[in-house]
Amino acid sequence: MMRMIPFTLENGETVLGVEVNLPKTNLLAITTDKGYIMCGALDVALLNERLKHREIIAGRAVGVRTLEELMEAPLESVTFMAEKLGIVAGMKGSDALRLML
């Protein structure tokens, strides 16, 4: 099953959450037009190394089970391009999303 949920950030902007229920796991992502945050399934090293030319803006949070938790969780790692926007590991997901708008 899959669900899509809009979230309104504190600044009034809307981002889109996507949850994909798979056997024994869920894939979670919340996206803006510029970038996204995702659950632990995101491979930040792959984005930074092999896909560096794509300049992907993304962050990864681990241990989250819902989109709501992803919004509140501290990011465990972020891409080089996310860092250029001021997004850093330890930053709350919703704060990173505001910088991706």
Side-chain angles (χ1 to χ4, degrees):
M1 177 178 293
M2 183 174 128
R3 69 180 181 135
M4 297 172 64
I5 301 172
F7 287 93
T8 303
L9 300 176
E10 292 174 5
N11 63 0
E13 296 277 352
T14 301
V15 296
L16 182 62
V18 179
E19 178 180 291
V20 180
N21 301 114
L22 300 171
K24 301 183 182 181
T25 193
N26 292 331
L27 294 180
L28 306 169
I30 304 173
T31 187
T32 72
D33 289 339
K34 291 182 185 178
Y36 57 93
I37 60 173
M38 194 169 161
C39 64
L42 180 65
D43 188 343
V44 171
L46 173 77
L47 299 180
N48 280 337
E49 295 164 16
R50 297 194 60 194
L51 302 178
K52 185 177 182 176
H53 64 282
R54 295 187 187 180
E55 299 183 335
I56 296 170
I57 299 168
R60 174 182 187 230
V62 295
V64 295
R65 294 181 180 219
T66 67
L67 291 169
E68 294 77 12
E69 288 179 0
L70 181 56
M71 289 283 284
E72 296 301 316
L75 298 179
E76 177 264 344
S77 56
V78 301
T79 62
F80 297 142
M81 292 305 295
E83 288 176 341
K84 288 185 176 186
L85 291 179
I87 299 165
V88 296
M91 179 178 281
K92 191 166 102 171
S94 60
D95 293 336
L97 288 166
R98 276 200 305 278
L99 293 174
M100 292 180 191
L101 294 170

